[in-house]
Amino acid sequence: MTNIIIDLLSHDLSLYHQADGIIVNSREFSTCNGFVVAKEALTNLSNQIKAQGKFAILCIDRVIEEHDLTHLISYLDGVMSLFDYFIYSDMAVYGYFREHHQLEKLIFDGKTLIASSYDLAYYRRQAITCFLTNELSFAEIKEIASKERFAFTVYGYHQIFYSRRELLDLYQTFQHQQETLGKQLLSLKEELREEYYKIYQGEHGTFIYTPYIYMMFEEIKELRDSLIMIRINGLFLKEESMINVLNCYHRLLHKDAVTTAEIKQINPHTGAGFLPNKSILLKDRPLPRKRQVEKK
């Protein structure tokens, strides 16, 4: 069974009735530059989510530095019992849950790091679910799906760069400009490419996102048996449109009539949720033969 999980974009949980799980982005420890929730409000919110029969998932995917560790431990002590799952990317979070024998609550989102069935199997042996990277061709994704199960982000802008530094402010300083560029969504164009990437400097650093919405839709039918969860991420998108997107994925998984053309009408600026060509990231290769040791 494939579960639909979606990032929360407001406090109105009634809009998300077709989702199986709700992702709450932590104000303190997520990289989300959209709707986030402070620790003080998490108890009430998680109770509401569970009361509707849904998974409550907390996203804490920020890079953790040494000076953050005391705060992180105190934070996790207060929220671990509130949520069914935690999306993470930093080993400090892994270490905390391993110490508390709760690794089955973790969902690892390593962006481009999880790119083979070997990676997925390594985490599965520890009862951890993983997001497979989108930076693979569909043929490569199917190859991995024939061996392992995984989570996959099927809709949304993808974060392709993250730095804890305030890079836009540094750029303005270099240009001898006084105007701050922080906390506003801007466009970034490479010299040799036509696309305009989204760039945002927020409280936790600087982020660059794909120039279009990654979307995998009808291809899901071929991966259904391997998808544990599919994630819909509405960052920088209107909540009303995301509820319509959720409806399309719900109908697809329940084998109701719905087409790619229909979902593209909601947000036309979409592209494939995977690479058109084979990736250099895929590490699924034949295992090397064991070296024969001659007996003396």
Side-chain angles (χ1 to χ4, degrees):
M1 178 181 175
T2 300
N3 292 307
I4 303 175
I5 59 177
I6 186 169
D7 289 67
L8 190 65
L9 297 178
S10 76
H11 287 288
D12 190 355
L13 290 174
S14 65
L15 298 174
Y16 299 83
H17 64 277
Q18 292 179 310
D20 300 297
I22 304 294
I23 301 169
V24 179
N25 284 286
S26 163
R27 177 182 295 278
E28 294 83 358
F29 288 105
S30 80
T31 61
C32 178
N33 290 303
F35 182 76
V36 293
V37 180
K39 181 182 178 182
E40 295 75 22
L42 292 178
T43 299
N44 184 50
L45 184 56
S46 66
N47 288 338
Q48 291 182 53
I49 293 171
K50 291 180 179 181
Q52 295 186 10
K54 303 184 186 306
F55 303 127
I57 305 168
L58 185 65
C59 184
I60 46 173
D61 63 345
R62 182 160 70 80
V63 171
I64 308 299
E65 297 187 6
E66 187 173 357
H67 61 80
D68 297 319
L69 290 175
T70 301
H71 182 199
L72 174 69
I73 292 170
S74 173
Y75 181 90
L76 292 176
D77 284 343
V79 303
M80 186 171 68
S81 63
L82 300 178
F83 289 86
D84 301 297
Y85 296 103
F86 293 79
I87 296 174
Y88 82 104
S89 63
D90 195 280
M91 287 299 291
V93 176
Y94 170 87
Y96 177 92
F97 279 83
R98 182 179 63 180
E99 183 179 335
H100 288 78
H101 307 287
Q102 295 284 322
L103 289 178
E104 69 279 0
K105 282 192 166 190
L106 291 180
I107 304 174
F108 181 53
D109 186 6
K111 306 306 185 242
T112 60
L113 292 180
I114 303 300
S116 77
S117 62
Y118 305 134
D119 297 330
L120 293 168
Y122 170 78
Y123 284 95
R124 176 177 51 79
R125 288 193 293 270
Q126 301 176 76
I128 298 173
T129 299
C130 287
F131 278 98
L132 182 67
T133 179
N134 292 68
E135 303 300 313
L136 298 167
S137 70
F138 187 60
E140 291 169 321
I141 294 171
K142 288 204 303 182
E143 180 181 345
I144 294 171
S146 68
K147 303 170 186 176
E148 292 289 340
R149 302 187 72 220
F150 49 87
F152 201 79
T153 299
V154 295
Y155 197 95
Y157 288 105
H158 276 228
Q159 177 189 305
I160 59 176
F161 175 87
Y162 167 32
S163 171
R164 288 292 300 271
R165 297 179 177 88
E166 296 176 337
L167 297 181
L168 292 178
D169 284 350
L170 291 173
Y171 173 78
Q172 288 294 82
T173 300
F174 176 76
Q175 295 289 332
H176 305 289
Q177 298 292 326
Q178 298 297 319
E179 179 187 4
T180 179
L181 298 178
K183 295 189 177 179
Q184 52 184 313
L185 185 60
L186 302 172
S187 295
L188 176 70
K189 185 179 184 299
E190 290 188 64
E191 185 178 2
L192 301 178
R193 300 193 184 203
E194 294 302 318
E195 297 95 343
Y196 284 84
Y197 295 81
K198 294 185 180 297
I199 183 168
Y200 187 92
Q201 179 186 292
E203 182 180 349
H204 298 305
T206 306
F207 304 80
I208 300 176
Y209 302 89
T210 51
Y212 59 86
I213 299 166
Y214 268 42
M215 184 184 75
M216 178 188 282
F217 193 62
E218 293 192 57
E219 297 87 355
I220 290 175
K221 297 175 184 177
E222 299 183 54
L223 305 173
R224 191 188 301 269
D225 294 337
S226 301
L227 293 172
I228 301 170
M229 301 174 178
I230 58 172
R231 180 180 184 177
I232 300 170
N233 188 343
L235 182 64
F236 305 135
L237 298 169
K238 293 181 179 180
E239 184 175 38
E240 181 181 358
S241 72
M242 296 314 299
I243 299 306
N244 292 332
V245 167
L246 171 61
N247 175 261
C248 287
Y249 279 100
H250 183 269
R251 288 158 58 195
L252 180 72
L253 290 184
H254 288 79
K255 301 181 180 180
D256 295 336
V258 60
T259 65
T260 299
E262 184 175 343
I263 193 172
K264 279 192 171 184
Q265 289 179 351
I266 301 170
N267 290 306
H269 195 48
T270 59
F274 45 83
L275 298 183
N277 301 310
K278 201 166 187 178
S279 169
I280 62 172
L281 294 176
L282 183 65
K283 299 188 284 287
D284 271 24
R285 304 283 188 267
L287 293 174
R289 289 183 297 177
K290 291 184 179 180
R291 188 174 179 180
Q292 299 294 325
V293 179
E294 294 184 3
K295 294 182 179 179
K296 293 184 178 180

